[in-house]
Amino acid sequence: AKSAFVLNAMRSFRVLRIARVLRMARLPMFTELVMMLDGAMGGLRALLWSQTLIALYLYIVALVFRELVGAKTLADEAQYFQSLPEALFTSFRCLVASECTDADGRPIFLHLAKVHGWYTGAIYCVACVLITFGLFNVIVAIFVENTVAAAKHNTHRIKQLRLLDTERFQRKALELVDVVVRFAASCPAGGGRVPLTSMNYEDVKSLSITPQILETLLVQPEFREILRDMDIPDEEQIDLFDTLDTDGGGTVDLEELIQTIWKLRGDARRSDMVAVGLMVRNLQLSMHQLEASMTQLQNR
């Protein structure tokens, strides 16, 4: 009973170690490794089908040499083609593994060409060209394409999950507001974070951000890092105030800041462009109606 308890404890300890390793894989330093593993798993199906295609090609080549060489003579140079399995293995050695010699180190197909004629060497050359420049290149291209596509799909899926995580956005928004309040209220940066609970809600809500304050914030590494965590890349942070100041008032409150950052997250979607087009069309209709109303008033 004691040994069984020790064995169960050791198993639990191994599970904890595996969980710790998996938790470490989430660190930024392991991002490339995780992407490579995801890409390799995504290209696994293409790799299996490529092996099937190579096996079919080798089967055809082995069948040809079995009928041309192995079935006609029992000479030493033809002993590797006496049966179909032997011919298949010899074809794999010569065409895939590039190890095409007999037990004495002599080239197999060189002796076959001398004994059975030039056509055996010609068939071998054609088979080598087809599998090297044709089949292998196609397989590598498809495998690389599937691997890259799988890695991109996994990255896109992780990004979508991050964009849908409202709790994470709320947490980052609070950190962003904390930084903005500290700088806007001229709090000492070295004194640590200023708790938002110690400030009046109305004062925080009515806080206005000027272009000068935003330029100062964009220089701060903490502010820029929070924006990156909220999926606002560095190129979107250029001329950010013009994007935030939607009403052209020259100042931005915290509500406009958070709402605009929420809309800036992620890549541009088709729905965004369609929404802009519909808004422009609605604005055109309103302008036409206003123009018609002004024309009627002038005619009166």
Side-chain angles (χ1 to χ4, degrees):
K2 184 177 180 180
S3 60
F5 174 77
V6 174
L7 182 61
N8 292 331
M10 292 297 295
R11 290 177 178 176
S12 302
F13 181 71
R14 290 180 180 179
V15 171
L16 291 176
R17 291 183 63 183
I18 294 175
R20 182 179 298 177
V21 171
L22 294 177
R23 192 179 299 111
M24 289 179 60
R26 299 179 181 179
L27 297 176
M29 62 181 298
F30 295 103
T31 302
E32 289 78 9
L33 177 61
V34 174
M35 290 181 61
M36 287 189 291
L37 293 176
D38 292 334
M41 294 301 296
L44 185 61
R45 185 172 60 180
L47 182 61
L48 295 177
W49 279 114
S50 65
Q51 292 178 353
T52 304
L53 185 59
I54 292 176
L56 179 61
Y57 179 81
L58 293 178
Y59 175 80
I60 295 175
V61 174
L63 190 62
V64 170
F65 281 102
R66 169 70 179 84
E67 295 298 327
L68 290 178
V69 178
K72 294 181 179 180
T73 180
L74 297 178
D76 292 339
E77 65 273 358
Q79 63 180 341
Y80 297 100
F81 301 95
Q82 292 298 319
S83 64
L84 186 59
E86 290 179 344
L88 184 61
F89 182 65
T90 304
S91 300
F92 174 80
R93 288 175 52 203
C94 294
L95 297 177
V96 178
S98 299
E99 194 272 316
C100 194
T101 57
D102 58 9
D104 297 328
R106 298 176 300 178
I108 294 176
F109 281 95
L110 179 60
H111 292 277
L112 287 179
K114 290 180 179 180
V115 175
H116 295 277
W118 61 270
Y119 64 91
T120 56
I123 294 176
Y124 173 70
C125 291
V126 172
C128 286
V129 170
L130 289 178
I131 195 172
T132 303
F133 297 100
L135 193 59
F136 283 166
N137 287 338
V138 172
I139 289 174
V140 170
I142 294 177
F143 180 75
V144 170
E145 182 181 1
N146 289 343
T147 302
V148 173
K152 288 183 178 180
H153 176 73
N154 184 71
T155 303
H156 179 71
R157 181 176 58 84
I158 294 176
K159 187 175 182 179
Q160 287 296 113
L161 293 176
R162 189 170 63 249
L163 292 177
L164 295 175
D165 190 357
T166 56
E167 294 182 359
R168 181 176 180 274
F169 179 80
Q170 292 175 0
R171 185 172 62 254
K172 293 297 179 180
L174 288 176
E175 295 179 5
L176 187 70
V177 171
D178 187 11
V179 175
V180 172
V181 168
R182 284 195 285 115
F183 279 94
S186 300
C187 294
R193 293 185 179 272
V194 177
L196 296 179
T197 55
S198 63
M199 301 187 65
N200 190 355
Y201 172 75
E202 295 296 333
D203 295 336
V204 175
K205 184 178 179 181
S206 61
L207 180 64
S208 298
I209 303 174
T210 61
Q212 293 77 16
I213 294 178
L214 187 59
E215 290 179 1
T216 305
L217 289 171
L218 289 175
V219 179
Q220 305 300 323
E222 183 181 9
F223 185 79
R224 297 177 64 90
E225 186 64 27
I226 294 175
L227 288 180
R228 295 191 192 101
D229 292 339
M230 300 175 75
D231 296 289
I232 306 297
D234 293 340
E235 58 269 17
E236 296 292 342
Q237 299 179 16
I238 302 175
D239 297 329
L240 183 60
F241 187 84
D242 295 335
T243 305
L244 297 174
D245 190 15
T246 55
D247 55 359
T251 58
V252 177
D253 56 20
L254 293 178
E255 184 177 359
E256 289 179 330
L257 176 65
I258 301 302
Q259 289 180 354
T260 307
I261 289 178
W262 172 266
K263 295 180 181 180
L264 282 176
R265 298 166 69 235
D267 300 328
R269 299 180 295 270
R270 184 185 302 176
S271 58
D272 299 330
M273 294 181 287
V274 172
V276 172
L278 293 177
M279 292 172 59
V280 171
R281 181 178 299 178
N282 188 22
L283 182 60
Q284 289 178 346
L285 293 176
S286 301
M287 293 298 296
H288 288 316
Q289 293 176 0
L290 179 61
E291 183 180 2
S293 300
M294 295 297 295
T295 304
Q296 292 179 359
L297 290 176
Q298 290 178 357
N299 294 333
R300 292 179 183 180

